[in-house]
Amino acid sequence: MSRTLPKALLGATAVAALLAGGPALAAEPLKIGVMATLEGTYTVLGEDGIRGFKVAMLKHGDTVGGRPIDITIASTDASPDSAVRAARKLVEQDGVDIVIGPLSGSEGIAIRDYSKTQPQVTFINGSSGAQETTYVTPSENFFRFNMDGAQWSAGLGDYVFNEKGYETVATIGEDYSFIYTQVFGFALEYCAAGGEITDRFWVPLGTKDFASIIAALPDDVDAIYLGLGGGDAVNFLNQYQQAGGEANLIGGSIMVDGTVLSSKGKAKDALIGVPSAGPQADTWDNEAWQAYVTAYKEAFPPDQRFPSPSLLATGYYNSTDAAMICIDQLGGDLGEGQSAFRDCLSNLELDAPNGKITLDHNRQAIGTNFVIEVVEAENGDLLTQLVSMKEGVNQTLGIDPDAFAQIGLPSREIPECKSSYE
Amino acid sequence: MRRFVERNPFWSIVILVAVAVLVWSIFAVWPDWLVDAIGRKKIFLNALFNGITLGALYFLVASGFTLIFGLMRNVNLAHGSLYLFGGYIGYEIADWSGSWLLAFPVTFLVVAVLGVALQLAVFRRMQGQDLRQTLVTIGISIVLADLMLWIWGGDFFQILTPEWLSGPVETFLVTGVKRSSGDPIFLKYPMVRLVILAAAIVIGVGMWLLLNRTRIGMLVRAGVDDREMLTATGVNIQLVFVAVFAFGAGLAGMAGVVGGTFQSIAPGEDTRFLLASLVVVIVGGMGSIPGAALGALLIGLAEQFGSVYMPTYAVVLTFLIMVLVLAFRPQGILGRA
């Protein structure tokens, strides 16, 4: 008896499943894996990325193109090996069809390489912004709907030189691919406008004590460019205030992002009035943008989100949105080897909340960039305000592709500060 | 001292010269050729002082770690979690009461109680089983990290300093002379770091006195040397264990408040400080308080000098020191074989 009962139960369950699941058999669930930095110095960035993903899923619902969506989330710590580990878990263990992520620059390069070994899976970048990821040996099944770090700098160099009048700048940044790309984009425009970059300081990602580097910053420059993010940014600002620093600051894209502007404590106050550039402006009065901000605010209680979505949330939102739109258009059938799905992504004109996004031949986004400044809202929140915007920013930043290739890949020393790169 | 000089005349001279050079480089106005060679004096002095204050923070965390290890032969890999927990508690107290100073005693007590609970509920049951303790403490640290992530989220917390502590203060050390007037330029240094340095010295000296001049200290030292013999003399060793664990945990918690003041508190800091404590203790010698002080100072200085003079390899420098110590003096600089 004790041996037959489980069998009987099993049989009954199977019958019930057949009865209930008649139509569901046709609609096999679509497995989506999401990876973000939910550990380490970029934890708070990863959390907001996941929020962006959830906002997009709320928009499209649990069933897209007639197929129920099955979500698996994997955690990384901003290191390339953690990203590959997470991707392998999603692809080889959970058997996902689509991977959304990763978040951080060097992770993106590692996932591009990994994606080549898994041609049956489509990878859609979350928000990682190293130039190399799509510019050098791009992968057929890796798509990026966010611009890279250099594109996110578009407009900034020109603005700080011509409007702010900063003629000499020193840069300090985290020593990895995304910040190289950011400084690359800033330097190309700033140097071409006539500015001079006197020193470039590079600190390891995860540096907590900046006191000595702050003392080493030159005091005879007009401004200091900060290419830091997450906990490193907060620590820098805290120690900068303690040291009585008074220089003009210029922020990198993730330096003046919601992730830093929402930190607890006074450190962030040093950022008020600081110019920066990135793929969004928090207080932009565009209708689509405001609708997106409202959707974000309504999706989470105030203590579990930022006052306004960070660029990481927007990155994950756009990637997920693009994927869902294509799945919906194809009625849930991704085609042989997901070819139909990839065609759809490649040709998609995404009406993103932060401006229209299309992909180039490397499956890299061409989009709108925003020059912004940090302002204090009436309730004390720090937000970014639009200064100017630039549409149709491509990966070579409007420079002739051959001349662009001559400049070299972003690194500690590249690009040289020259008045012309053509 | 004299015996050391008699036995090692060569090293004595080397040390003497090094100290003389250091004193000169701190107090003298640097000539131009030196500035050309290694940069401005301001950078050097800042790296030196920052290295010492960072070392002070490492000392606070590592001294509890080394004390617990020395007495109980218990490698507590959840020590970093106690640091992080202390930081969060400190933030809550400072935020709620508006008093930075109040955060220290309260945090010390709260984290010490957690330490007592850990000792009574966990470690006491597996005394002498090194591997089991190690694995259990790793497990506890993972659970604690997730609990803290659940409660406080992934945000960065920075503990507000009172008005009198924020901003820089002008010291009496000269970094250079103004070209126009010839007036000396004095070194400006963050006030909060000076206070932290002073506090760490007071705590360090206090611990040394406690260990070397009191009856409790005598018990602890006896326990470190020979636990069985101490028990045989009728001392309630379990009570000593609990007291030391509480004290070590409390210190780690207080270090969390210090760290949250001049750095920040966020997920991941627990493993960072566990790693730092391990390196400090391996360099200084497991179980030795002066060793922890020396190791912390060395690692702090290496990090800060590395960050300005060889930024690319700064991360390697710390581990290079560890490798050198392990290769030539595996028991640590002040450790006993």
Side-chain angles (χ1 to χ4, degrees):
Chain A
M1 184 64 202
S2 62
R3 288 181 67 181
T4 48
L5 185 64
K7 270 189 182 170
L9 266 176
L10 210 70
T13 319
V15 171
L18 271 175
L19 287 176
L25 276 180
E28 206 184 316
L30 189 67
K31 288 187 172 178
I32 295 195
V34 189
M35 51 197 282
T37 52
L38 299 172
E39 299 161 57
T41 190
Y42 280 178
T43 304
V44 73
L45 286 71
E47 286 178 343
D48 209 46
I50 294 293
R51 275 179 222 128
F53 168 76
K54 286 182 177 163
V55 174
M57 288 314 295
L58 281 175
K59 176 182 163 192
H60 290 277
D62 297 336
T63 308
V64 181
R67 290 178 73 174
I69 304 288
D70 183 6
I71 299 165
T72 314
I73 294 177
S75 167
T76 71
D77 63 11
S79 69
D81 59 309
S82 76
V84 172
R85 217 166 22 215
R88 291 185 65 135
K89 190 241 169 209
L90 290 173
V91 173
E92 292 164 37
Q93 205 172 320
D94 301 325
V96 300
D97 303 298
I98 298 167
V99 173
I100 294 176
L103 179 135
S104 178
S106 295
E107 292 184 335
I109 299 174
I111 294 302
R112 171 203 66 195
D113 291 340
Y114 174 71
S115 70
K116 291 178 182 171
T117 69
Q118 304 292 337
Q120 80 285 6
V121 178
T122 301
F123 292 77
I124 305 174
N125 185 57
S127 60
S128 85
Q131 186 191 71
E132 243 190 277
T133 310
T134 50
Y135 186 69
V136 183
T137 61
S139 163
E140 292 298 325
N141 52 337
F142 188 96
F143 296 77
R144 181 152 75 178
F145 282 91
N146 61 283
M147 299 189 292
D148 72 19
Q151 293 170 283
W152 282 350
S153 299
L156 182 62
D158 196 40
Y159 176 69
V160 297
F161 184 81
N162 289 321
E163 305 292 325
K164 290 277 178 182
Y166 301 157
E167 290 179 358
T168 50
V169 161
T171 70
I172 168 167
E174 287 157 335
D175 199 3
Y176 76 103
S177 57
F178 170 66
I179 306 292
Y180 297 158
T181 311
Q182 283 245 284
V183 172
F184 178 92
F186 173 74
L188 286 192
E189 199 178 298
Y190 180 69
C191 295
E196 190 196 343
I197 296 179
T198 56
D199 294 279
R200 302 180 201 198
F201 294 86
W202 299 104
V203 298
L205 183 63
T207 296
K208 298 299 167 205
D209 208 324
F210 287 92
S212 297
I213 296 155
I214 289 169
L217 290 174
D219 34 25
D220 54 357
V221 291
D222 292 332
I224 293 168
Y225 175 93
L226 304 173
L228 307 167
D232 299 5
V234 175
N235 280 328
F236 176 88
L237 293 171
N238 184 3
Q239 289 149 12
Y240 188 70
Q241 283 180 332
Q242 283 165 3
E246 282 159 358
N248 297 314
L249 302 176
I250 302 168
S253 298
I254 55 171
M255 183 86 200
V256 298
D257 189 51
T259 49
V260 175
L261 297 180
S262 308
S263 64
K264 310 275 191 302
K266 272 195 309 187
K268 62 190 179 198
D269 290 353
L271 286 177
I272 296 174
V274 167
S276 175
Q280 63 182 49
D282 295 343
T283 57
W284 192 29
D285 54 9
N286 177 285
E287 207 172 304
W289 172 256
Q290 287 300 332
Y292 162 65
V293 173
T294 310
Y296 172 88
K297 285 182 179 171
E298 280 169 358
F300 309 98
D303 60 331
Q304 286 171 30
R305 58 164 170 86
F306 296 138
S308 181
S310 71
L311 67 89
L312 305 140
T314 310
Y316 275 77
Y317 173 86
N318 287 342
S319 306
T320 313
D321 196 26
M324 295 305 143
I325 288 173
C326 281
I327 295 168
D328 199 31
Q329 267 181 22
L330 298 168
D333 180 14
L334 305 189
E336 185 64 34
Q338 302 193 352
S339 56
F341 179 58
R342 286 174 197 170
D343 279 348
C344 172
L345 287 177
S346 303
N347 300 314
L348 186 69
E349 199 173 280
L350 184 67
D351 278 318
N354 55 341
K356 197 178 72 178
I357 295 172
T358 53
L359 298 189
D360 67 10
H361 59 286
N362 287 339
R363 293 159 298 286
Q364 160 66 37
I366 300 170
T368 308
N369 204 48
F370 299 77
V371 176
I372 48 183
E373 237 165 39
V374 180
V375 289
E376 192 173 7
E378 277 168 21
N379 61 0
D381 289 341
L382 297 191
L383 297 166
T384 57
Q385 191 175 26
L386 178 73
V387 173
S388 67
M389 52 193 280
K390 203 170 173 179
E391 287 173 346
V393 179
N394 66 6
Q395 194 166 28
T396 59
L397 307 167
I399 299 174
D400 173 67
D402 292 332
F404 189 79
Q406 288 298 314
I407 299 170
L409 295 173
S411 73
R412 291 185 186 130
E413 305 292 335
I414 294 176
E416 274 178 77
C417 197
K418 295 195 293 191
S419 57
S420 169
Y421 296 92
E422 298 283 348
Chain B
M1 181 86 180
R2 180 184 245 162
R3 271 183 59 202
F4 180 83
V5 175
E6 278 166 8
R7 274 163 57 192
N8 306 294
F10 173 72
W11 284 110
S12 310
I13 291 172
V14 170
I15 292 173
L16 202 69
V17 170
V19 169
V21 168
L22 184 69
V23 170
W24 178 83
S25 59
I26 292 174
F27 291 101
V29 174
W30 285 16
D32 287 340
W33 59 266
L34 190 60
V35 176
D36 290 340
I38 61 170
R40 289 172 296 155
K41 186 186 173 189
K42 180 184 150 198
I43 300 173
F44 173 82
L45 276 188
N46 262 289
L48 182 68
F49 288 154
N50 293 331
I52 296 172
T53 47
L54 187 62
L57 175 60
Y58 286 160
F59 170 71
L60 285 181
V61 192
S63 55
F65 187 75
T66 198
L67 201 62
I68 290 171
F69 174 82
L71 186 64
M72 295 174 234
R73 295 282 173 274
N74 168 3
V75 183
N76 176 19
L77 294 180
H79 200 70
S81 312
L82 298 174
Y83 166 89
L84 187 59
F85 181 64
Y88 282 127
I89 294 293
Y91 173 82
E92 293 296 342
I93 300 293
D95 194 46
W96 169 76
S97 69
S99 164
W100 182 68
L101 288 175
L102 185 68
F104 286 89
V106 176
T107 305
F108 185 88
L109 283 178
V110 172
V111 183
V113 168
L114 178 68
V116 170
L118 277 179
Q119 166 66 15
L120 291 182
V122 181
F123 298 118
R124 202 172 161 175
R125 295 170 190 277
M126 45 190 78
Q127 213 163 324
Q129 306 172 38
D130 293 350
L131 194 59
R132 204 167 153 202
Q133 283 184 343
T134 309
L135 289 176
V136 165
T137 49
I138 291 178
I140 291 174
S141 71
I142 294 172
V143 171
L144 283 179
D146 265 11
L147 283 177
M148 287 188 277
L149 186 60
W150 179 42
I151 300 173
W152 285 283
D155 279 348
F156 310 103
F157 289 77
Q158 183 222 326
I159 301 171
L160 283 187
T161 41
E163 220 30 60
W164 57 275
L165 270 181
S166 43
V169 62
E170 203 160 78
T171 59
F172 58 88
L173 293 166
V174 180
T175 58
V177 235
K178 273 187 193 149
R179 282 212 183 105
S180 49
S181 57
D183 291 341
I185 306 168
F186 293 100
L187 176 75
K188 277 189 182 166
Y189 198 72
M191 184 69 187
V192 63
R193 282 189 174 247
L194 290 178
V195 172
I196 286 164
L197 177 62
I201 291 173
V202 168
I203 290 175
V205 171
M207 268 170 73
W208 188 84
L209 287 176
L210 186 77
L211 281 175
N212 290 289
R213 292 282 184 272
T214 65
R215 191 180 143 73
I216 299 170
M218 206 163 71
L219 286 177
V220 173
R221 278 183 297 139
V224 170
D225 282 344
D226 195 328
R227 213 160 44 186
E228 282 74 25
M229 200 52 90
L230 181 67
T231 325
T233 59
V235 173
N236 183 352
I237 191 90
Q238 290 302 338
L239 203 64
V240 181
F241 281 2
V242 169
V244 167
F245 210 104
F247 183 70
L251 270 185
M254 258 169 50
V257 184
V258 171
T261 305
F262 81 104
Q263 299 189 357
S264 65
I265 289 290
E269 292 297 282
D270 46 351
T271 43
R272 193 167 78 87
F273 273 88
L274 174 66
L275 191 64
S277 308
L278 277 170
V279 174
V280 162
V281 168
I282 288 169
V283 168
M286 287 292 247
S288 154
I289 294 285
L294 186 67
L297 192 65
L298 269 178
I299 298 301
L301 285 172
E303 274 190 23
Q304 290 294 321
F305 275 104
S307 74
V308 282
Y309 290 114
M310 40 190 286
T312 316
Y313 305 105
V315 190
V316 187
L317 201 58
T318 313
F319 293 101
L320 197 67
I321 293 177
M322 193 172 88
V323 168
L324 285 178
V325 168
L326 282 176
F328 294 105
R329 205 178 152 79
Q331 71 270 38
I333 297 175
L334 295 182
R336 277 178 290 180

